Amino acid sequence: MKPPLRDADFREKMRARLLAVAKRLIVDEGLAAVQARRVASEAGCSVGTVYNVYGDIDGLVLAANATTLHDLGSALETVRKHVQGQDVEERLMALAVTYLDFAISSQRRWRAVFEHRLPDGYPTPESYIADRRALLALIEAELAQVLPDADQRIDAARALFSATHGNVLLALDGKLGDIAPDQCERQIRFLVHHVVSGLSR
Amino acid sequence: MKPPLRDADFREKMRARLLAVAKRLIVDEGLAAVQARRVASEAGCSVGTVYNVYGDIDGLVLAANATTLHDLGSALETVRKHVQGQDVEERLMALAVTYLDFAISSQRRWRAVFEHRLPDGYPTPESYIADRRALLALIEAELAQVLPDADQRIDAARALFSATHGNVLLALDGKLGDIAPDQCERQIRFLVHHVVSGLSR
């Protein structure tokens, strides 16, 4: 049974309002601040409404993190246009440096994507899986020229994304000592350069 | 002024006991369980004793994490002996696979090393820095044959360690979808293979 229009309107308004609150809490304080009571209080609704609209707090966190994936995707798409026509190494490095910059400038939002752990058995929503695929597809597209096999490209894109993420994460966390962004970039270039020149042979 | 022997003995005993409690809490429940009250209660001492012996709870966590670095180092040293004489790619892969296995089999201890964030301005102890250096030096040693410049080796070892860590972390967290250990290993080999063949040219 479809709810009357007013209910659907209310639901959409609450959905947007709760999402805005969750995003702000992540930006200001980090993922740990996104708790149902806190969100409800800041959105001026009951905890029941949070659950009613998003199913549970993980549903709300996933929605907030999806906006981060979209913003990251937009940043990567923008830089791709700027480096069209350059060689594969420069194009992959442009994506990697954009990722590093995004992690620095949107650090709490970026961390929230990777810190969030779904409860056991909680299925990742199809839309979230599609958002993640879209990001990896950007890397795969740049590899097409040097890696014609589509399955190998999927593996390679995951390997390169994970490698870049690991270098960015450990640099920002200072886990291997003080690593400045330009040194982090140098480390990533070391990997990208050899992978591309290896694939191009 | 040196404390009387009995005090020094007590201190050493408490140091070992608190460390054992912290390690057990990390193994059983993860880093978040290592709280001063909890540790004191399980060690049968006051919170003041925890602070007196380790300075603060971060001092105790660092001591527990140092034992993880040592155990990881021992595992890496053992495998290095087994692959002596093999080519650089196989030697680096042996280290990477040992790292992956260690992360899986000692997952909470491994996570605690990377999840622990020191308060702003808290200096990393010299001994911890040395432990970390020793792990990276294992990778640098394997690279000596293909990368004679010592500074470049430091960068390359950090790049390869971070890349391996990123691949292991995102696979275990399921952040790029379901990635089984053998697929994670394949991704790491993709990177190591190209880096080594690039450097060997």
Side-chain angles (χ1 to χ4, degrees), chain B residues 48-66:
Chain B
T49 301
V50 178
Y51 294 147
N52 188 268
V53 173
Y54 279 101
D56 46 39
I57 196 69
D58 291 297
L60 176 57
V61 170
L62 282 166
N65 282 348

Side-chain angles (χ1 to χ4, degrees), chain A residues 12-200:
Chain A
E12 272 321 293
K13 261 186 203 157
M14 282 317 298
R15 177 173 285 277
R17 193 190 297 175
L18 292 168
L19 181 59
V21 168
K23 284 172 69 174
R24 184 170 49 72
L25 286 173
I26 289 172
V27 169
D28 291 347
E29 303 177 34
L31 178 63
V34 185
Q35 305 285 348
R37 278 169 167 283
R38 177 83 187 275
V39 171
S41 144
E42 305 223 355
C45 68
S46 69
V47 170
T49 300
V50 178
Y51 294 147
N52 189 270
V53 173
Y54 279 101
D56 46 38
I57 196 69
D58 291 299
L60 176 57
V61 170
L62 282 166
N65 283 347
T67 71
T68 306
L69 297 188
H70 294 162
D71 291 348
L72 172 60
S74 300
L76 295 171
E77 286 285 9
T78 301
V79 80
R80 272 188 78 190
K81 286 178 197 141
H82 286 297
V83 293
Q84 259 184 348
Q86 296 189 20
D87 64 27
V88 180
E89 178 177 334
E90 291 313 319
R91 291 193 331 251
L92 287 171
M93 279 309 296
L95 294 182
V97 170
T98 303
Y99 187 75
L100 171 62
D101 290 345
F102 186 88
I104 292 171
S105 63
S106 305
Q107 191 159 162
R108 292 212 182 97
R109 295 182 72 203
W110 169 73
R111 285 189 185 280
V113 168
F114 294 98
E115 283 172 3
H116 182 226
R117 308 281 286 273
L118 284 172
D120 281 345
Y122 193 113
T124 306
E126 287 301 324
S127 64
Y128 196 88
I129 292 174
D131 291 339
R132 198 165 64 188
R133 278 283 328 130
L135 290 179
L136 288 168
L138 293 175
I139 306 175
E140 288 162 32
E142 300 303 352
L143 287 168
Q145 189 183 320
V146 286
L147 199 52
D149 184 278
D151 285 339
Q152 284 178 15
R153 273 210 301 275
I154 290 176
D155 263 21
R158 283 174 166 169
L160 284 169
F161 177 82
S162 302
T164 303
H165 178 77
N167 275 274
V168 170
L169 180 67
L170 296 184
L172 292 186
D173 283 350
K175 280 295 175 188
L176 302 183
D178 288 329
I179 294 182
D182 64 328
Q183 191 186 330
C184 179
E185 184 179 332
R186 215 160 59 224
Q187 291 172 196
I188 297 169
R189 184 175 284 277
F190 170 83
L191 299 165
V192 168
H193 170 76
H194 288 301
V195 166
V196 171
S197 68
L199 288 173
S200 308

Side-chain angles (χ1 to χ4, degrees), chain A residues 110-111 114 158-176 187 191, chain B residues 68-69 72 76 92-93 95-104 106-117 128 132 135-136 139 156-176 179 184-185 187-189 191-192:
Chain A
W110 169 73
R111 285 189 185 280
F114 294 98
R158 283 174 166 169
L160 284 169
F161 177 82
S162 302
T164 303
H165 178 77
N167 275 274
V168 170
L169 180 67
L170 296 184
L172 292 186
D173 283 350
K175 280 295 175 188
L176 302 183
Q187 291 172 196
L191 299 165
Chain B
T68 305
L69 296 188
L72 171 60
L76 295 172
L92 286 172
M93 279 309 295
L95 295 182
V97 171
T98 303
Y99 187 75
L100 171 62
D101 290 344
F102 186 88
I104 292 171
S106 305
Q107 192 160 161
R108 291 212 183 97
R109 293 182 73 203
W110 170 74
R111 284 188 186 281
V113 168
F114 293 98
E115 283 172 3
H116 182 226
R117 307 281 285 273
Y128 196 88
R132 199 165 65 188
L135 290 178
L136 288 168
I139 307 176
R158 282 174 166 170
L160 284 169
F161 176 82
S162 302
T164 303
H165 178 77
N167 275 274
V168 170
L169 180 67
L170 296 184
L172 292 186
D173 284 350
K175 281 294 175 189
L176 302 183
I179 295 182
C184 179
E185 185 179 331
Q187 291 172 196
I188 297 169
R189 184 176 285 277
L191 299 165
V192 169

Side-chain angles (χ1 to χ4, degrees), chain B residues 18-31:
Chain B
L18 292 167
L19 182 59
V21 168
K23 284 173 69 174
R24 184 170 49 70
L25 286 173
I26 288 173
V27 169
D28 291 347
E29 303 177 33
L31 178 65

